[in-house]
């Protein structure tokens, strides 16, 4: 049962930025529309840009009308509860003004002093802002909750992540910190927990005795957009694998938690990260890591240039736009089962999936009749788009003999036409307001993920030129990634754009 929300203020730092207009304000508006938020919760945008309440509302109205062109009346009603405060985030006096504004808003609207601070800012301000608001006592929960949502990246390596966590924990309890990973807010990711632990038919098979390999990937058809400055300094491994895909791996591979609460679930995902086999030598990395960079090609019929042709990218850049890594988890459940994790830009389509490939039957009794001797059961959890879960199995055709075909049994979110799916930001903002940090990264898990990835990044940066493979835009990635799977007799699932087949 959903908790009744206490009233309070959602404070968005960096409110004049793109994330607020594109993701945060639409998510909060949707929560108001669905009555998940109390009408006495208000929003205060904060940044250095020169807005007042009305001009900021106008900017947000334009963004919301793009998505909801027929809901102007509802949008205007929602925006009457949105306010703005201009401050210089580097100066103490700015935070004094912010504190006064918060007190005035709480008094005028008869609100409790419950504050959710959302840092939609550059990572450099993750030190500045929490420290300044703590100086004024806005971290003290004696008169209401005080929580902070922090966007990734959480550091650039293990050392910087440890330093950031240590800094934040000087002023806040871990329960007040919500490190957001929007991938974990996706409905299908959450359904993994229900799928595994609420169904007696799957959990007994969820181990090395029955599963041959697991594939987790997030393919993108787009290039860099406006992110060249950030991306060329970081690459695919830092941008996607260290956070989104490792967190997915943790949920797929975790043991059943003692309780279905945040503490127990996050304990189990941490154990997975601690059990992932570390790469101890250059040879280990060369055998289990493939990096690539996109070149000129056609994506869905549109010709695109190469990565080095992008504005803001160096002509000799060795930054990887594609990465595939083979991980092993050294525990009883997953002994010697490879987990293949991959991500890439300018691939043939946008698709994210978790794929469970089961082992073949011990005796292929029907193989000669089927003429599909390589058939194995496969479970696909589609995260985006066309969200759903599909299981493939062999079935006999009607008639004499044993002519069989591979068929699918599926569950698709599009079948629930009467109910729209909440966006990841809707779910995660609502969870933070409720104080539920199940789907947020804990400090020790963040550091453990960096501990896994750091040696790989260091090797890639040192040997990037010789390690890098190239692939044409619009393909599935470099052929070297296919060869890595072929070493163990495996192949990638390269999905079509349509997940749910029409009857």
């Amino acid at each position: 049962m959903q908790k009744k929300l206490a009233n309070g203020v959602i404070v968005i730092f960096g409110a004049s930025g793109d994330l607020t207009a594109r993701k945060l304000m639409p998510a909060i508006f949707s929560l108001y529309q669905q009555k998940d938020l109390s009408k006495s919760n208000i929003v205060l945008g904060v940044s250095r840009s020169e807005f007042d309440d009305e001009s900021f509302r106008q900017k947000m109205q334009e963004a919301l009308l793009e998505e909801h062109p027929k809901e102007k009346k509802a949008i205007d009603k929602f925006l009457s509860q949105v306010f703005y405060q201009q401050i210089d985030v580097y100066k103490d006096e700015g935070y004094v003004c912010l504190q006064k504004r918060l007190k005035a808003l709480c008094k005028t609207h008869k609100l409790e002093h419950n504050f959710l601070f959302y840092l939609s800012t550059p990572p450099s301000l993750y030190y500045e802002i929490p420290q300044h608001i703590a100086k004024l006592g806005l971290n003290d929960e004696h008169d209401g909750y005080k929580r902070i949502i922090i966007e990734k990246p959480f550091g650039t390596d293990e050392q910087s992540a440890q330093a950031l966590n240590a800094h934040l924990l000087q002023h806040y309890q871990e329960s007040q910190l919500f490190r957001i990973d929007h991938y974990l807010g996706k409905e299908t990711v959450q359904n993994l927990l229900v799928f595994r632990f609420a169904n007696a038919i799957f959990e007994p098979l969820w181990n090395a005795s029955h599963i041959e390999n697991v594939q987790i990937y997030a393919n993108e058809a787009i290039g860099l957009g406006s992110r060249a400055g950030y991306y060329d300094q970081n690459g695919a491994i830092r941008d996607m694998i260290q956070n989104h895909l490792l967190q997915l791996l943790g949920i797929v591979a975790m043991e059943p938690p003692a309780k279905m609460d945040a503490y127990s679930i996050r304990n189990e995902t941490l154990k997975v990260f601690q059990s992932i086999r570390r790469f101890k030598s250059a040879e280990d990395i060369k055998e289990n890591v493939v990096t690539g960079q996109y070149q000129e090609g056609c994506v869905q019929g549109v010709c695109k240039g190469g990565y080095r042709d992008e504005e803001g990218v160096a002509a000799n850049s060795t930054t990887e736009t594609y990465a595939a890594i083979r991980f092993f988890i050294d525990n009883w459940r997953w002994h010697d089962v490879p987990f293949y994790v991959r991500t890439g830009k300018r691939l043939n389509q946008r698709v994210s999936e978790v794929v469970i490939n089961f082992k073949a039957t011990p005796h292929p009794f029907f193989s000669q009749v089927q003429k599909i001797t390589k058939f194995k059961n496969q479970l696909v959890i589609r995260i985006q788009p066309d969200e759903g879960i599909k299981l493939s199995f062999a079935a006999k055709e009607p008639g004499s003999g044993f002519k069989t075909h591979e068929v699918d049994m599926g569950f698709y979110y599009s079948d629930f036409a009467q109910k729209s799916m909440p966006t990841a930001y809707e779910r995660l903002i609502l969870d933070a307001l409720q104080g539920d940090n199940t789907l947020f990264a804990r400090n020790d898990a963040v550091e453990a993920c960096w501990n896994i990835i750091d040696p790989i990044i260091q090797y890639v940066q040192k040997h990037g030129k010789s390690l890098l493979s190239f692939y044409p835009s619009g393909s599935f990635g470099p052929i070297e990634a296919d060869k890595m799977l072929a070493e163990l007799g495996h192949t990638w699932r390269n999905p079509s754009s349509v997940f749910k087949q029409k009857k």
Side-chain angles (χ1 to χ4, degrees):
M1 183 181 292
Q2 185 173 299
K3 299 176 186 175
K4 184 178 178 182
L5 289 181
N7 62 44
V9 187
I10 302 170
V11 183
I12 303 175
F13 285 91
S16 60
D18 183 55
L19 181 66
T20 301
R22 262 189 329 110
K23 298 290 185 182
L24 305 186
M25 206 60 77
I28 296 169
F29 171 64
S30 182
L31 292 172
Y32 270 84
Q33 285 290 86
Q34 296 165 30
K35 299 182 180 179
D36 286 317
L37 283 187
S38 162
K39 295 300 179 185
S40 54
N41 278 273
I42 65 172
V43 180
L44 177 64
V46 178
S47 78
R48 289 182 287 180
S49 300
E50 292 185 7
F51 290 106
D52 57 18
D53 290 347
E54 287 308 314
S55 57
F56 181 66
R57 287 169 183 162
Q58 181 62 37
K59 177 180 169 69
M60 294 300 107
Q61 183 193 62
E62 291 169 6
L64 290 171
L65 281 173
E66 281 186 24
E67 195 171 332
H68 307 281
K70 297 180 180 179
E71 297 186 39
K72 185 177 184 302
K73 188 175 179 181
I75 289 170
D76 289 344
K77 186 177 180 182
F78 161 68
L79 290 175
S80 68
Q81 295 177 257
V82 174
F83 303 87
Y84 183 81
Q85 179 70 39
Q86 180 188 3
I87 72 167
D88 185 333
V89 292
Y90 292 100
K91 294 184 178 178
D92 288 343
E93 52 264 35
Y95 293 91
V96 173
C97 292
L98 173 62
Q99 185 182 39
K100 288 178 181 176
R101 185 70 189 279
L102 285 171
K103 285 182 178 177
L105 286 170
C106 288
K107 185 176 181 180
T108 302
H109 296 272
K110 298 179 181 178
L111 303 176
E112 299 170 42
H113 286 200
N114 295 314
F115 303 135
L116 176 65
F117 299 101
Y118 198 119
L119 305 193
S120 177
T121 65
S124 58
L125 292 175
Y126 297 169
Y127 282 84
E128 288 283 338
I129 294 171
Q131 179 175 283
H132 275 96
I133 60 179
K135 262 189 197 178
L136 295 173
L138 292 174
N139 61 337
D140 192 331
E141 298 195 294
H142 76 279
D143 59 347
Y145 68 70
K146 310 294 185 295
R147 299 169 187 153
I148 298 182
I149 297 181
I150 304 169
E151 281 278 345
K152 76 175 186 75
F154 318 119
T156 56
D157 54 23
E158 185 179 12
Q159 185 176 359
S160 60
Q162 288 173 338
L164 176 59
N165 283 329
H167 176 77
L168 293 170
L169 290 169
Q170 286 178 24
H171 308 290
Y172 302 88
Q173 300 296 318
E174 177 62 30
S175 60
Q176 294 175 274
L177 300 172
F178 292 74
R179 300 169 190 83
I180 193 168
D181 184 337
H182 71 271
Y183 252 65
L184 297 188
K186 294 183 183 296
E187 193 71 27
T188 323
V189 174
Q190 300 159 41
N191 207 14
L192 265 169
L193 294 171
V194 177
F195 183 80
R196 280 192 60 189
F197 302 127
N199 295 295
I201 61 174
F202 293 112
E203 185 57 23
L205 307 179
W206 213 261
N207 54 58
S209 298
H210 301 281
I211 293 175
E212 185 175 80
N213 68 83
V214 178
Q215 299 175 19
I216 302 171
Y217 49 84
N219 296 352
E220 297 180 276
I222 60 171
L224 298 187
S226 60
R227 301 178 70 218
Y230 166 81
Y231 198 90
D232 201 44
Q233 294 296 314
N234 290 277
I237 298 174
R238 269 201 185 104
D239 188 47
M240 290 293 290
I241 293 181
Q242 184 275 331
N243 41 76
H244 300 325
L245 298 187
L246 276 182
Q247 291 292 337
L248 275 179
L249 189 154
I251 291 175
V252 172
M254 66 186 279
E255 294 296 319
K259 296 179 181 177
M260 272 297 164
D261 59 23
Y263 181 78
S264 302
I265 291 171
R266 298 201 296 180
N267 278 352
E268 296 304 332
T269 56
L270 174 63
K271 290 177 187 175
V272 173
F273 303 142
Q274 291 170 334
S275 301
I276 289 176
R277 189 182 303 169
R278 276 23 177 199
F279 298 128
K280 296 182 179 178
S281 68
E283 198 59 37
D284 274 352
I285 296 172
K286 284 170 69 176
E287 286 180 5
N288 295 287
V289 178
V290 173
T291 59
Q293 189 182 93
Y294 65 80
Q295 293 183 309
E296 186 178 354
C298 290
V299 182
Q300 298 169 4
V302 180
C303 292
K304 302 286 187 179
Y307 177 73
R308 294 175 184 178
D309 300 323
E310 300 273 14
E311 186 178 347
V313 174
N316 61 348
S317 173
T318 58
T319 299
E320 79 283 356
T321 62
Y322 176 99
I325 304 177
R326 177 168 52 202
F327 291 112
F328 289 93
I329 300 173
D330 290 330
N331 63 19
W332 184 280
R333 181 184 290 265
W334 297 112
H335 178 67
D336 277 351
V337 175
F339 282 71
Y340 298 106
V341 175
R342 70 171 171 176
T343 186
K345 289 194 174 292
R346 283 275 169 81
L347 297 175
N348 73 320
Q349 64 180 319
R350 169 180 170 264
V351 59
S352 299
E353 292 182 340
V354 174
V355 182
I356 311 296
N357 288 306
F358 291 94
K359 292 181 176 179
T361 54
H363 176 55
F365 187 75
F366 293 107
S367 63
Q368 300 229 344
V369 182
Q370 287 177 290
K371 297 182 181 177
I372 53 168
T373 55
K374 295 183 179 179
F375 172 77
K376 296 168 187 174
N377 297 110
Q378 185 180 74
L379 176 69
V380 182
I381 297 108
R382 172 68 72 93
I383 296 166
Q384 64 180 14
D386 301 326
E387 294 86 347
I389 300 173
K390 184 164 66 177
L391 177 67
S392 65
F393 57 95
K396 178 186 172 298
E397 278 192 6
S400 61
F402 284 94
K403 189 176 181 182
T404 59
H405 277 289
E406 180 182 340
V407 295
D408 295 330
M409 182 166 56
F411 154 71
Y412 307 98
Y413 281 93
S414 59
D415 291 338
F416 291 92
Q418 74 279 10
K419 187 170 183 179
S420 62
M421 280 179 55
T423 67
Y425 280 101
E426 282 177 51
R427 170 64 193 266
L428 293 171
I429 290 171
L430 185 59
D431 281 357
L433 288 166
Q434 293 175 329
D436 182 355
N437 44 25
T438 303
L439 299 174
F440 295 83
R442 202 165 67 187
N443 61 330
D444 46 10
V446 170
E447 293 169 17
C449 288
W450 278 119
N451 184 262
I452 296 163
I453 292 297
D454 271 359
I456 302 171
I457 292 176
Q458 290 162 13
Y459 183 84
V460 168
Q461 288 177 337
K462 186 176 180 181
H463 303 280
K465 190 173 181 181
S466 61
L467 194 68
L468 201 64
S469 303
F470 294 94
Y471 61 97
S473 294
S475 67
F476 281 109
I479 195 169
E480 285 77 6
D482 297 333
K483 292 177 179 176
M484 179 174 71
L485 269 70
E487 291 169 3
L488 299 181
H490 303 150
T491 57
W492 291 111
R493 168 179 152 81
N494 288 325
S496 69
S497 58
V498 179
F499 186 59
K500 181 181 180 181
Q501 300 297 324
K502 293 181 180 179
K503 292 181 181 178

